[in-house]
Amino acid sequence: MSRKDNGQSSNGKRARADEASVERPSVGSVTLSDVARLAGVGTTTVSRALNHPDQVAQKTLKKVNQAIELTGYVPNQIAGALASRRSHLIAAIIPSISNTVYAETIKHFSKILRDSGYQVLLGETDYLEDQEETLVRTVLSRKPDGIFFIGINHTAICRRQLLVANIPVVETWDLTKTPLDMVVGFSHEEVGKAIAEYLLEKKISRVGSIWALDHRAQLRRKGFLETLAFHGINSKYVCDVSVPTNFGQGREGLTRLINEGFNGGAVVCSSDTIAHGVLAEAQTRGLRVPEEMAVTGFGDQTFAPFTNPSLTTVKFDRELIGRRAAEVLLARINDEKIEEYIIDVGFEIIERKST
């Protein structure tokens, strides 16, 4: 029969302390012993109250919790992780915290993990592989139970560190036949091909484009330009912009294309934010969209249906990526069978009035 801890020490005597005489420590970190002394119980009882509260008498549990609240004690999770081999920490490494397109994925990824007893530590690479390498090294020293990435490109050193660490890893927002462990996303090169084919179906052959200088946008650019070239179209009006993208880059990008000789057809943009800027610049110049110039974006952000005119764009399920990434990561952590290590969530072109 199980027996609840009532706070008595091993010699049968309650380890009482005069609560009035115990003061909150003024220097140094609060320890488990400080909490035990204030609560009038042994350290084993405090440990059990933290890890298995159902095994501690309610009266004793109340005293321990009051002592924890009074002292501000924070349990040493690293020590617990060493004992259990679980840190209940998941690292999420993303290119930018200022780019809102990633927020929905992270939100749904984090919720599933929180509901499963894990906390998510967020790290930003600023689109730099060297920064990611440094961040991964730091994160691995904290012994996370798993790592989530947006993106599949890593330095050779980073890949080696992750493989040696031998922990579950899920890469997202892209596809590869050779993931580090698991990948949940879609093909950016196929997105580029689909946009080109969409414009060709509309008999639009004069095209300018504005692309962010990040790996995924450049894959879309590659698929787009190669598809046009396959159909005998040489699109020389191409503009690259830095990341993260912003509204002003769309206005400046269209200005550059026009200065280089572009005078109508379609402008393909690597993000909805850039496309929004292009629409604004076109309006300022008196260019009618889509009659004189069609515009496409990427991402189907919340403002896309409400631009003037509404923006044709590429939609993919950011929520689904977050949920599936969390599910497969948890399955790997728990040594459950995984049916798919490469998960393609697909995409679709949402046609609106800008084309």
Side-chain angles (χ1 to χ4, degrees):
M1 179 182 295
S2 63
R3 183 177 169 210
K4 291 198 172 183
D5 191 338
N6 61 7
Q8 288 188 335
S9 60
S10 59
N11 62 8
K13 296 180 181 179
R14 185 176 299 276
R16 292 188 179 277
D18 185 353
E19 293 186 7
S21 67
V22 178
E23 297 181 359
R24 181 172 178 171
S26 58
V27 294
S29 299
V30 177
T31 67
L32 193 76
S33 297
D34 295 324
V35 175
R37 188 167 62 253
L38 184 58
V41 299
T43 55
T44 301
T45 299
V46 175
S47 179
R48 188 172 293 118
L50 289 167
N51 298 305
H52 304 286
D54 57 313
Q55 297 177 14
V56 180
Q58 284 299 312
K59 184 178 178 181
T60 303
L61 183 62
K62 182 178 180 181
K63 289 197 299 180
V64 172
N65 286 335
Q66 287 174 340
I68 289 172
E69 183 177 350
L70 179 62
T71 59
Y73 173 70
V74 177
N76 185 343
Q77 297 293 346
I78 294 178
L82 290 173
S84 67
R85 297 186 180 272
R86 291 283 178 88
S87 65
H88 291 278
L89 177 70
I90 302 294
I93 298 177
I94 68 174
S96 172
I97 59 175
S98 63
N99 194 333
T100 58
V101 298
Y102 303 127
E104 192 170 0
T105 295
I106 292 297
K107 174 184 175 182
H108 291 279
F109 174 77
S110 298
K111 183 181 185 305
I112 289 177
L113 287 163
R114 282 198 308 271
D115 291 346
S116 300
Y118 289 83
Q119 293 299 320
V120 176
L121 175 67
L122 195 63
E124 180 185 32
T125 68
D126 200 24
Y127 296 91
L128 301 173
E129 289 185 8
D130 288 347
Q131 173 65 18
E132 180 187 84
E133 181 184 308
T134 301
L135 186 56
V136 166
R137 185 182 301 112
T138 302
V139 162
L140 289 176
S141 71
R142 268 62 175 179
K143 304 297 182 184
D145 289 336
I147 301 183
F148 164 101
F149 286 97
I150 286 182
I152 60 173
N153 275 53
H154 319 285
T155 67
I157 291 175
C158 183
R159 294 181 71 88
R160 188 159 56 249
Q161 289 172 339
L162 290 165
L163 291 171
V164 170
N166 194 31
I167 61 173
V169 173
V170 59
E171 300 163 288
T172 66
W173 275 60
D174 209 336
L175 282 184
T176 175
K177 293 179 180 179
T178 56
L180 285 166
D181 190 0
M182 303 165 289
V183 63
V184 181
F186 57 96
S187 170
H188 289 265
E189 195 165 343
E190 289 299 321
V191 169
K193 291 178 182 179
I195 296 170
E197 290 166 355
Y198 169 77
L199 294 177
L200 290 170
E201 287 176 4
K202 287 186 164 293
K203 310 299 182 185
I204 299 174
S205 59
R206 190 173 179 84
V207 180
S209 54
I210 306 173
W211 304 98
L213 288 170
D214 73 83
H215 174 72
R216 288 174 295 281
Q218 292 297 305
L219 281 177
R220 296 195 295 276
R221 167 181 167 159
K222 179 177 182 289
F224 176 73
L225 295 179
E226 285 183 353
T227 302
L228 290 182
F230 179 80
H231 290 277
I233 300 171
N234 179 19
S235 180
K236 64 179 181 179
Y237 303 109
V238 179
C239 173
D240 289 323
V241 298
S242 61
V243 288
T245 57
N246 59 59
F247 178 86
Q249 289 172 328
R251 301 198 66 158
E252 294 168 358
L254 179 57
T255 298
R256 284 170 58 184
L257 293 178
I258 290 173
N259 289 343
E260 292 170 4
F262 177 76
N263 62 359
V267 176
V268 173
C269 305
S270 68
S271 74
D272 287 350
T273 304
I274 292 175
H276 194 190
V278 168
L279 289 174
E281 184 63 25
Q283 188 175 38
T284 298
R285 292 172 176 270
L287 296 171
R288 293 174 300 145
V289 178
E291 292 83 0
E292 296 177 87
M293 185 183 76
V295 180
T296 70
F298 172 82
D300 196 29
Q301 294 197 48
T302 54
F303 62 79
F306 306 106
T307 57
N308 184 26
S310 56
L311 181 62
T312 293
T313 187
V314 177
K315 178 180 181 178
F316 56 95
D317 198 329
R318 291 187 285 268
E319 176 184 337
L320 178 61
I321 291 175
R323 286 194 289 103
R324 292 294 287 124
E327 289 165 0
V328 294
L329 196 63
L330 284 171
R332 283 279 285 111
I333 290 170
N334 295 321
D335 293 322
E336 297 173 4
K337 184 179 179 181
I338 305 242
E339 298 295 335
E340 294 181 281
Y341 285 82
I342 300 173
I343 301 172
D344 187 348
V345 302
F347 63 87
E348 62 178 316
I349 293 176
I350 305 298
E351 184 177 67
R352 297 193 178 103
K353 293 182 179 179
S354 68
T355 55

